[in-house]
Amino acid sequence: MAEPGWQTRTGVWRTERPCLLGILNITPDSFSDGGELGSADAALRRALRLVEEGADMLDVGGESTRPGARPVPTTEQIDRVVPVLELLSRHTAVPLSIDTRDAVVARAAIDAGASVVNDVSALRDPAMAAVVRESGAGLVLMHLRGEPATMHQYARYDDVVREVVAELEVVLGRAVGAGIAEDAIVLDPGIGFAKATEHNLALLANLEALTALGRPILVGPSRKAFIGQLAGNPPPAERVGGTVAACVAALFHGARIFRVHDVAPVRQALDVAEAIRTAEARTS
Ligand code: HH2
């Protein structure tokens, strides 16, 4: 069966090949790479490396959403991300995504060249839907309960898969009801957002339930705490093997888009895993 496409401002994104979204955090405090990109030039160098390693899209963020993080004011986010997006637009042809919950930041980022809005709060800002609709940007709707500062207290579920699918179905309906084209939307179970390790594992193992909503699935397990917990607590930058494992498992359960820091190893792993997956599909 053909994979659903993803309509962004720069055209339809075909998800026949696993898509890699390389992470560019322009933040002093991100959990794994905070403070690494202190200037637009450093961000450009990292971006060009990620593209060379096989990133299909770059996700630029000016606010950490790690557990306990405090919100970053609009103007500060804009000051962080807009110069980087402008520079990237001039130097690379890959589509750019803005990781923000703030409609004013999203608007400024789109004007600076972003073609996708990655909103981990799934349209909590009442002005966000209009920004996405009017600009024709692609949209990532992620599952989150509460706010990053407080979300750990909402990591309680009777049936995490059923509840996350039901809650994402509601936000998908709300987005479409607000006039956003369904083709522009991808869904994300929000790995690590108001989820304990057992919840992350159940979601990654049952993404088929989410693909039933008819939109491509994005996952963001990269370097997250559950990998540390399962692998003897290495620091985030040493969670590459666990990230690869989570992405490959997610691919076999239906994910098509992968948001990662370590593009080269994940690209190689997913290209091989996808060849195996499609060979299996042809012979069964
Ligand atoms: N995870 C993070 C940030 N944005 N967006 C989507 N769609 N899905 C995710 O799982 C996701 C996301 C958190 O990771 P990171 O950017 O590495 O850390 P921080 O929030 O500390 O900057």
Side-chain angles (χ1 to χ4, degrees):
M1 199 180 75
E3 299 287 344
W6 183 18
Q7 180 76 51
T8 76
R9 276 188 99 220
T10 40
V12 179
W13 187 256
R14 293 275 156 225
T15 56
E16 265 98 27
R17 180 190 187 213
C19 295
L20 274 191
L21 194 53
I23 300 173
L24 273 187
N25 281 326
I26 319 299
T27 51
D29 58 343
S30 283
F31 79 93
S32 86
D33 55 358
E36 283 181 12
L37 304 178
S39 67
D41 281 343
L44 176 62
R45 279 195 300 278
R46 170 75 58 84
L48 295 178
R49 202 188 79 209
L50 295 179
V51 172
E52 205 179 291
E53 290 178 354
D56 301 296
M57 189 182 284
L58 297 169
D59 189 35
V60 178
E63 176 185 54
S64 171
T65 47
R66 72 187 189 288
R70 299 268 149 241
V72 176
T74 302
T75 49
E76 210 170 316
Q77 284 192 57
I78 289 176
D79 289 348
R80 289 177 182 176
V81 299
V82 163
V84 171
L85 288 164
E86 287 175 346
L87 196 62
L88 296 185
S89 308
R90 288 203 297 277
H91 287 90
T92 167
V94 299
L96 305 172
S97 154
I98 175 68
D99 186 350
T100 190
R101 302 177 278 163
D102 182 322
V104 175
V105 176
R107 181 71 261 174
I110 289 165
D111 291 344
S115 56
V116 166
V117 175
N118 173 21
D119 181 359
V120 302
S121 78
L123 305 180
R124 291 250 189 106
D125 182 333
M128 187 67 100
V131 169
V132 173
R133 183 186 63 235
E134 284 159 17
S135 65
L139 175 65
V140 180
L141 290 175
M142 197 197 77
H143 179 268
L144 167 66
R145 283 181 176 175
E147 299 286 326
T150 55
M151 61 188 174
H152 53 276
Q153 70 200 40
Y154 299 103
R156 294 206 178 84
Y157 303 85
D158 290 325
D159 179 339
V160 65
V161 175
R162 196 178 46 75
E163 289 169 54
V164 167
V165 171
E167 288 167 35
L168 276 175
E169 189 170 16
V170 170
V171 290
L172 175 62
R174 202 174 293 144
V176 172
I180 296 171
E182 197 162 350
D183 283 358
I185 298 171
V186 307
L187 300 173
D188 179 345
I191 300 299
F193 287 85
K195 318 275 178 343
T197 293
E198 72 202 83
H199 305 132
N200 294 319
L201 297 178
L203 286 164
L204 289 168
N206 292 282
L207 291 171
E208 292 84 353
L210 201 48
T211 60
L213 296 183
R215 300 305 310 142
I217 304 304
L218 182 153
V219 289
S222 192
R223 301 183 178 179
K224 284 186 177 164
F226 80 101
I227 295 174
Q229 272 168 27
L230 293 167
N233 274 318
E238 292 170 27
R239 297 176 188 164
V240 181
T243 299
V244 165
C247 289
V248 169
L251 177 85
F252 275 90
H253 287 287
R256 300 305 295 165
I257 307 162
F258 303 82
R259 180 184 181 275
V260 295
H261 303 85
D262 305 290
V263 168
V266 178
R267 174 86 276 162
Q268 187 181 81
L270 287 181
D271 285 350
V272 173
E274 176 69 353
I276 296 167
R277 192 186 73 85
T278 50
E280 188 185 65
R282 275 196 303 273
T283 52
S284 58

Short mmCIF file of all heavy atoms in Angstrom, two decimals, residues 173-231:
data_model
loop_
_atom_site.label_atom_id
_atom_site.label_comp_id
_atom_site.label_asym_id
_atom_site.label_seq_id
_atom_site.Cartn_x
_atom_site.Cartn_y
_atom_site.Cartn_z
N GLY A 173 -8.42 16.06 14.61
CA GLY A 173 -9.75 16.56 14.23
C GLY A 173 -9.84 18.07 14.42
O GLY A 173 -10.40 18.80 13.60
N ARG A 174 -9.23 18.56 15.50
CA ARG A 174 -9.26 19.99 15.78
C ARG A 174 -8.47 20.76 14.70
O ARG A 174 -8.89 21.81 14.22
CB ARG A 174 -8.64 20.24 17.16
CG ARG A 174 -9.07 21.54 17.79
CD ARG A 174 -8.54 21.68 19.21
NE ARG A 174 -9.11 20.74 20.15
CZ ARG A 174 -8.45 20.16 21.16
NH1 ARG A 174 -7.17 20.44 21.36
NH2 ARG A 174 -9.05 19.34 21.98
N ALA A 175 -7.32 20.21 14.31
CA ALA A 175 -6.50 20.87 13.29
C ALA A 175 -7.24 20.92 11.96
O ALA A 175 -7.28 21.97 11.30
CB ALA A 175 -5.17 20.12 13.13
N VAL A 176 -7.84 19.79 11.58
CA VAL A 176 -8.56 19.75 10.30
C VAL A 176 -9.79 20.67 10.38
O VAL A 176 -10.09 21.41 9.43
CB VAL A 176 -8.94 18.29 9.95
CG1 VAL A 176 -9.85 18.23 8.74
CG2 VAL A 176 -7.67 17.46 9.72
N GLY A 177 -10.44 20.69 11.55
CA GLY A 177 -11.59 21.57 11.75
C GLY A 177 -11.20 23.04 11.65
O GLY A 177 -12.01 23.88 11.27
N ALA A 178 -9.94 23.35 11.96
CA ALA A 178 -9.47 24.74 11.87
C ALA A 178 -9.00 25.08 10.46
O ALA A 178 -8.47 26.16 10.22
CB ALA A 178 -8.33 24.96 12.87
N GLY A 179 -9.17 24.15 9.53
CA GLY A 179 -8.88 24.45 8.13
C GLY A 179 -7.51 24.01 7.65
O GLY A 179 -7.11 24.33 6.53
N ILE A 180 -6.76 23.30 8.50
CA ILE A 180 -5.44 22.82 8.07
C ILE A 180 -5.65 21.56 7.22
O ILE A 180 -6.43 20.67 7.61
CB ILE A 180 -4.54 22.52 9.28
CG1 ILE A 180 -4.27 23.83 10.05
CG2 ILE A 180 -3.23 21.87 8.85
CD1 ILE A 180 -3.59 23.63 11.39
N ALA A 181 -4.98 21.50 6.07
CA ALA A 181 -5.15 20.34 5.18
C ALA A 181 -4.66 19.09 5.90
O ALA A 181 -3.56 19.09 6.48
CB ALA A 181 -4.36 20.56 3.90
N GLU A 182 -5.46 18.03 5.85
CA GLU A 182 -5.05 16.78 6.51
C GLU A 182 -3.72 16.28 5.95
O GLU A 182 -2.88 15.75 6.68
CB GLU A 182 -6.16 15.73 6.34
CG GLU A 182 -6.01 14.59 7.32
CD GLU A 182 -7.28 13.76 7.49
OE1 GLU A 182 -8.35 14.17 7.01
OE2 GLU A 182 -7.15 12.70 8.12
N ASP A 183 -3.51 16.50 4.65
CA ASP A 183 -2.27 16.06 3.99
C ASP A 183 -1.03 16.74 4.56
O ASP A 183 0.09 16.31 4.31
CB ASP A 183 -2.31 16.43 2.50
CG ASP A 183 -3.18 15.48 1.73
OD1 ASP A 183 -3.71 14.55 2.33
OD2 ASP A 183 -3.34 15.71 0.51
N ALA A 184 -1.24 17.88 5.27
CA ALA A 184 -0.09 18.63 5.79
C ALA A 184 0.36 18.10 7.15
O ALA A 184 1.37 18.55 7.69
CB ALA A 184 -0.46 20.11 5.91
N ILE A 185 -0.39 17.15 7.71
CA ILE A 185 -0.18 16.78 9.12
C ILE A 185 0.53 15.44 9.27
O ILE A 185 0.21 14.48 8.58
CB ILE A 185 -1.55 16.74 9.84
CG1 ILE A 185 -2.19 18.13 9.78
CG2 ILE A 185 -1.40 16.25 11.28
CD1 ILE A 185 -3.64 18.16 10.25
N VAL A 186 1.51 15.38 10.17
CA VAL A 186 2.04 14.10 10.62
C VAL A 186 1.84 14.01 12.14
O VAL A 186 1.72 15.04 12.82
CB VAL A 186 3.52 13.85 10.24
CG1 VAL A 186 3.77 14.05 8.76
CG2 VAL A 186 4.46 14.70 11.03
N LEU A 187 1.77 12.79 12.63
CA LEU A 187 1.47 12.56 14.06
C LEU A 187 2.66 11.95 14.77
O LEU A 187 3.40 11.15 14.19
CB LEU A 187 0.26 11.63 14.18
CG LEU A 187 -1.03 12.14 13.54
CD1 LEU A 187 -2.11 11.06 13.59
CD2 LEU A 187 -1.51 13.41 14.23
N ASP A 188 2.82 12.31 16.05
CA ASP A 188 3.99 11.89 16.82
C ASP A 188 3.50 11.50 18.23
O ASP A 188 2.82 12.29 18.89
CB ASP A 188 4.94 13.10 16.89
CG ASP A 188 6.21 12.85 17.70
OD1 ASP A 188 6.26 11.86 18.45
OD2 ASP A 188 7.14 13.66 17.57
N PRO A 189 3.83 10.29 18.69
CA PRO A 189 3.35 9.86 20.01
C PRO A 189 4.02 10.58 21.18
O PRO A 189 3.59 10.41 22.33
CB PRO A 189 3.69 8.36 20.05
CG PRO A 189 4.85 8.21 19.12
CD PRO A 189 4.63 9.22 18.03
N GLY A 190 5.06 11.39 20.92
CA GLY A 190 5.66 12.17 22.00
C GLY A 190 6.49 11.32 22.96
O GLY A 190 6.25 11.33 24.18
N ILE A 191 7.47 10.63 22.41
CA ILE A 191 8.33 9.79 23.24
C ILE A 191 9.03 10.66 24.29
O ILE A 191 9.65 11.68 23.96
CB ILE A 191 9.38 9.05 22.36
CG1 ILE A 191 8.69 8.16 21.31
CG2 ILE A 191 10.38 8.27 23.20
CD1 ILE A 191 7.81 7.07 21.88
N GLY A 192 8.88 10.27 25.56
CA GLY A 192 9.53 11.01 26.65
C GLY A 192 8.73 12.20 27.18
O GLY A 192 9.14 12.84 28.14
N PHE A 193 7.60 12.51 26.54
CA PHE A 193 6.79 13.65 27.00
C PHE A 193 5.62 13.13 27.83
O PHE A 193 4.66 12.56 27.28
CB PHE A 193 6.28 14.45 25.80
CG PHE A 193 7.34 15.27 25.12
CD1 PHE A 193 8.15 14.71 24.15
CD2 PHE A 193 7.53 16.61 25.45
CE1 PHE A 193 9.13 15.47 23.51
CE2 PHE A 193 8.50 17.37 24.83
CZ PHE A 193 9.31 16.81 23.85
N ALA A 194 5.67 13.33 29.12
CA ALA A 194 4.65 12.78 30.04
C ALA A 194 4.54 11.27 29.86
O ALA A 194 3.44 10.72 29.83
CB ALA A 194 3.29 13.46 29.84
N LYS A 195 5.70 10.61 29.73
CA LYS A 195 5.73 9.15 29.54
C LYS A 195 6.85 8.58 30.40
O LYS A 195 7.97 9.11 30.39
CB LYS A 195 6.01 8.76 28.08
CG LYS A 195 5.32 9.56 26.98
CD LYS A 195 3.94 9.07 26.68
CE LYS A 195 3.15 9.83 25.64
NZ LYS A 195 3.49 11.15 25.20
N ALA A 196 6.57 7.49 31.09
CA ALA A 196 7.63 6.73 31.76
C ALA A 196 8.19 5.73 30.75
O ALA A 196 7.63 5.53 29.67
CB ALA A 196 7.04 6.00 32.96
N THR A 197 9.29 5.08 31.13
CA THR A 197 9.93 4.14 30.20
C THR A 197 8.94 3.12 29.65
O THR A 197 8.89 2.86 28.45
CB THR A 197 11.11 3.43 30.91
OG1 THR A 197 12.10 4.42 31.17
CG2 THR A 197 11.73 2.34 30.05
N GLU A 198 8.13 2.53 30.54
CA GLU A 198 7.18 1.49 30.08
C GLU A 198 6.21 2.05 29.04
O GLU A 198 5.81 1.35 28.10
CB GLU A 198 6.40 0.94 31.28
CG GLU A 198 5.40 1.94 31.82
CD GLU A 198 4.97 1.73 33.28
OE1 GLU A 198 5.70 2.16 34.19
OE2 GLU A 198 3.89 1.15 33.45
N HIS A 199 5.83 3.34 29.18
CA HIS A 199 4.92 3.95 28.21
C HIS A 199 5.62 4.15 26.85
O HIS A 199 5.04 3.89 25.79
CB HIS A 199 4.41 5.30 28.73
CG HIS A 199 3.75 5.21 30.07
ND1 HIS A 199 4.04 6.08 31.10
CD2 HIS A 199 2.83 4.33 30.55
CE1 HIS A 199 3.32 5.75 32.16
NE2 HIS A 199 2.59 4.69 31.85
N ASN A 200 6.89 4.62 26.91
CA ASN A 200 7.63 4.80 25.66
C ASN A 200 7.75 3.47 24.92
O ASN A 200 7.59 3.41 23.69
CB ASN A 200 9.03 5.35 25.96
CG ASN A 200 8.97 6.76 26.52
OD1 ASN A 200 8.19 7.59 26.07
ND2 ASN A 200 9.79 7.04 27.54
N LEU A 201 8.05 2.41 25.66
CA LEU A 201 8.23 1.10 25.02
C LEU A 201 6.91 0.60 24.42
O LEU A 201 6.89 0.11 23.29
CB LEU A 201 8.77 0.09 26.04
CG LEU A 201 10.16 0.42 26.61
CD1 LEU A 201 10.58 -0.62 27.64
CD2 LEU A 201 11.20 0.52 25.50
N ALA A 202 5.83 0.75 25.17
CA ALA A 202 4.53 0.29 24.66
C ALA A 202 4.15 1.05 23.39
O ALA A 202 3.64 0.46 22.43
CB ALA A 202 3.45 0.47 25.73
N LEU A 203 4.43 2.35 23.37
CA LEU A 203 4.08 3.13 22.18
C LEU A 203 4.93 2.72 20.98
O LEU A 203 4.41 2.51 19.88
CB LEU A 203 4.25 4.63 22.47
CG LEU A 203 3.15 5.20 23.37
CD1 LEU A 203 3.55 6.55 23.95
CD2 LEU A 203 1.83 5.33 22.59
N LEU A 204 6.24 2.59 21.19
CA LEU A 204 7.12 2.21 20.07
C LEU A 204 6.75 0.83 19.52
O LEU A 204 6.89 0.56 18.34
CB LEU A 204 8.59 2.24 20.52
CG LEU A 204 9.16 3.65 20.75
CD1 LEU A 204 10.51 3.58 21.46
CD2 LEU A 204 9.30 4.41 19.42
N ALA A 205 6.27 -0.04 20.41
CA ALA A 205 5.93 -1.41 20.00
C ALA A 205 4.54 -1.52 19.37
O ALA A 205 4.18 -2.57 18.84
CB ALA A 205 6.01 -2.34 21.21
N ASN A 206 3.78 -0.44 19.43
CA ASN A 206 2.38 -0.51 18.95
C ASN A 206 2.01 0.69 18.09
O ASN A 206 0.87 1.17 18.13
CB ASN A 206 1.42 -0.59 20.15
CG ASN A 206 1.57 -1.91 20.88
OD1 ASN A 206 1.06 -2.93 20.43
ND2 ASN A 206 2.30 -1.90 21.99
N LEU A 207 2.98 1.15 17.28
CA LEU A 207 2.69 2.33 16.45
C LEU A 207 1.62 2.05 15.40
O LEU A 207 1.01 2.98 14.87
CB LEU A 207 3.98 2.81 15.76
CG LEU A 207 5.02 3.42 16.71
CD1 LEU A 207 6.33 3.65 15.97
CD2 LEU A 207 4.51 4.72 17.31
N GLU A 208 1.39 0.77 15.10
CA GLU A 208 0.34 0.42 14.13
C GLU A 208 -1.00 1.06 14.52
O GLU A 208 -1.79 1.46 13.66
CB GLU A 208 0.16 -1.09 14.04
CG GLU A 208 1.33 -1.85 13.43
CD GLU A 208 2.44 -2.17 14.43
OE1 GLU A 208 2.39 -1.70 15.59
OE2 GLU A 208 3.37 -2.90 14.04
N ALA A 209 -1.24 1.15 15.83
CA ALA A 209 -2.51 1.72 16.29
C ALA A 209 -2.61 3.20 15.89
O ALA A 209 -3.71 3.72 15.66
CB ALA A 209 -2.62 1.58 17.81
N LEU A 210 -1.46 3.85 15.79
CA LEU A 210 -1.43 5.27 15.41
C LEU A 210 -1.51 5.43 13.90
O LEU A 210 -2.15 6.37 13.40
CB LEU A 210 -0.14 5.87 15.97
CG LEU A 210 -0.04 7.37 16.17
CD1 LEU A 210 -1.27 7.89 16.89
CD2 LEU A 210 1.22 7.69 16.98
N THR A 211 -0.88 4.50 13.16
CA THR A 211 -0.94 4.61 11.70
C THR A 211 -2.39 4.46 11.23
O THR A 211 -2.75 4.93 10.15
CB THR A 211 -0.06 3.55 10.98
OG1 THR A 211 -0.51 2.25 11.36
CG2 THR A 211 1.40 3.70 11.31
N ALA A 212 -3.23 3.84 12.06
CA ALA A 212 -4.64 3.67 11.69
C ALA A 212 -5.33 5.03 11.52
O ALA A 212 -6.39 5.11 10.88
CB ALA A 212 -5.36 2.84 12.75
N LEU A 213 -4.76 6.12 12.06
CA LEU A 213 -5.37 7.44 11.88
C LEU A 213 -5.09 7.99 10.47
O LEU A 213 -5.55 9.08 10.12
CB LEU A 213 -4.87 8.42 12.95
CG LEU A 213 -5.25 8.08 14.40
CD1 LEU A 213 -4.76 9.17 15.36
CD2 LEU A 213 -6.76 7.91 14.57
N GLY A 214 -4.25 7.29 9.70
CA GLY A 214 -4.11 7.62 8.28
C GLY A 214 -3.06 8.66 7.95
O GLY A 214 -2.97 9.12 6.80
N ARG A 215 -2.28 9.07 8.92
CA ARG A 215 -1.23 10.06 8.64
C ARG A 215 0.15 9.44 8.92
O ARG A 215 0.25 8.51 9.74
CB ARG A 215 -1.41 11.31 9.55
CG ARG A 215 -2.73 12.03 9.37
CD ARG A 215 -3.01 12.44 7.91
NE ARG A 215 -1.89 13.14 7.32
CZ ARG A 215 -1.49 12.99 6.03
NH1 ARG A 215 -2.11 12.17 5.22
NH2 ARG A 215 -0.45 13.66 5.56
N PRO A 216 1.22 9.97 8.27
CA PRO A 216 2.55 9.44 8.56
C PRO A 216 2.91 9.65 10.04
O PRO A 216 2.46 10.62 10.67
CB PRO A 216 3.48 10.28 7.67
CG PRO A 216 2.59 10.87 6.61
CD PRO A 216 1.24 11.04 7.25
N ILE A 217 3.72 8.73 10.57
CA ILE A 217 4.11 8.80 11.98
C ILE A 217 5.56 9.25 12.10
O ILE A 217 6.45 8.69 11.46
CB ILE A 217 3.97 7.41 12.65
CG1 ILE A 217 2.55 6.87 12.47
CG2 ILE A 217 4.34 7.49 14.13
CD1 ILE A 217 1.46 7.76 12.98
N LEU A 218 5.78 10.24 12.97
CA LEU A 218 7.13 10.71 13.30
C LEU A 218 7.44 10.24 14.72
O LEU A 218 6.56 10.29 15.59
CB LEU A 218 7.17 12.24 13.21
CG LEU A 218 8.49 12.97 13.46
CD1 LEU A 218 8.48 14.31 12.71
CD2 LEU A 218 8.80 13.23 14.92
N VAL A 219 8.68 9.78 14.95
CA VAL A 219 9.08 9.48 16.33
C VAL A 219 10.39 10.21 16.66
O VAL A 219 11.23 10.43 15.80
CB VAL A 219 9.27 7.96 16.60
CG1 VAL A 219 7.94 7.23 16.62
CG2 VAL A 219 10.25 7.33 15.65
N GLY A 220 10.53 10.57 17.95
CA GLY A 220 11.72 11.29 18.40
C GLY A 220 12.33 10.64 19.64
O GLY A 220 12.33 11.24 20.71
N PRO A 221 12.87 9.42 19.49
CA PRO A 221 13.46 8.76 20.68
C PRO A 221 14.90 9.20 20.97
O PRO A 221 15.46 8.81 21.99
CB PRO A 221 13.46 7.27 20.27
CG PRO A 221 13.63 7.30 18.78
CD PRO A 221 12.91 8.54 18.31
N SER A 222 15.47 10.05 20.13
CA SER A 222 16.91 10.28 20.10
C SER A 222 17.52 10.63 21.46
O SER A 222 17.16 11.65 22.07
CB SER A 222 17.21 11.42 19.11
OG SER A 222 18.59 11.49 18.85
N ARG A 223 18.42 9.76 21.93
CA ARG A 223 19.23 9.99 23.15
C ARG A 223 18.40 10.15 24.42
O ARG A 223 18.91 10.61 25.45
CB ARG A 223 20.12 11.23 22.99
CG ARG A 223 21.10 11.19 21.84
CD ARG A 223 21.96 12.45 21.87
NE ARG A 223 22.98 12.48 20.81
CZ ARG A 223 23.82 13.48 20.63
NH1 ARG A 223 23.78 14.53 21.42
NH2 ARG A 223 24.72 13.43 19.67
N LYS A 224 17.10 9.82 24.38
CA LYS A 224 16.24 10.17 25.51
C LYS A 224 16.49 9.30 26.74
O LYS A 224 17.13 8.25 26.68
CB LYS A 224 14.77 10.18 25.08
CG LYS A 224 14.48 11.46 24.26
CD LYS A 224 13.05 11.65 23.91
CE LYS A 224 12.92 13.01 23.17
NZ LYS A 224 11.66 13.13 22.45
N ALA A 225 15.93 9.76 27.86
CA ALA A 225 16.23 9.15 29.18
C ALA A 225 15.88 7.67 29.23
O ALA A 225 16.58 6.90 29.89
CB ALA A 225 15.48 9.91 30.27
N PHE A 226 14.82 7.25 28.53
CA PHE A 226 14.45 5.82 28.62
C PHE A 226 15.56 4.95 28.05
O PHE A 226 15.77 3.83 28.53
CB PHE A 226 13.11 5.54 27.92
CG PHE A 226 13.17 5.42 26.42
CD1 PHE A 226 13.16 4.18 25.81
CD2 PHE A 226 13.21 6.55 25.62
CE1 PHE A 226 13.21 4.04 24.42
CE2 PHE A 226 13.26 6.43 24.23
CZ PHE A 226 13.26 5.18 23.64
N ILE A 227 16.31 5.46 27.07
CA ILE A 227 17.43 4.69 26.51
C ILE A 227 18.52 4.59 27.58
O ILE A 227 19.08 3.51 27.81
CB ILE A 227 17.97 5.37 25.23
CG1 ILE A 227 16.89 5.33 24.15
CG2 ILE A 227 19.27 4.70 24.76
CD1 ILE A 227 17.24 6.09 22.88
N GLY A 228 18.79 5.70 28.27
CA GLY A 228 19.76 5.66 29.36
C GLY A 228 19.35 4.63 30.40
O GLY A 228 20.17 3.82 30.85
N GLN A 229 18.06 4.64 30.74
CA GLN A 229 17.59 3.71 31.79
C GLN A 229 17.74 2.26 31.38
O GLN A 229 18.03 1.39 32.21
CB GLN A 229 16.12 3.99 32.10
CG GLN A 229 15.95 5.05 33.18
CD GLN A 229 14.52 5.52 33.26
OE1 GLN A 229 13.59 4.79 32.93
NE2 GLN A 229 14.35 6.76 33.70
N LEU A 230 17.57 1.97 30.10
CA LEU A 230 17.63 0.57 29.65
C LEU A 230 19.06 0.12 29.39
O LEU A 230 19.31 -1.07 29.22
CB LEU A 230 16.83 0.41 28.34
CG LEU A 230 15.33 0.60 28.47
CD1 LEU A 230 14.70 0.74 27.09
CD2 LEU A 230 14.71 -0.58 29.23
N ALA A 231 20.01 1.07 29.34
CA ALA A 231 21.34 0.72 28.85
C ALA A 231 22.44 1.08 29.85
O ALA A 231 23.57 1.37 29.46
CB ALA A 231 21.58 1.40 27.51
#
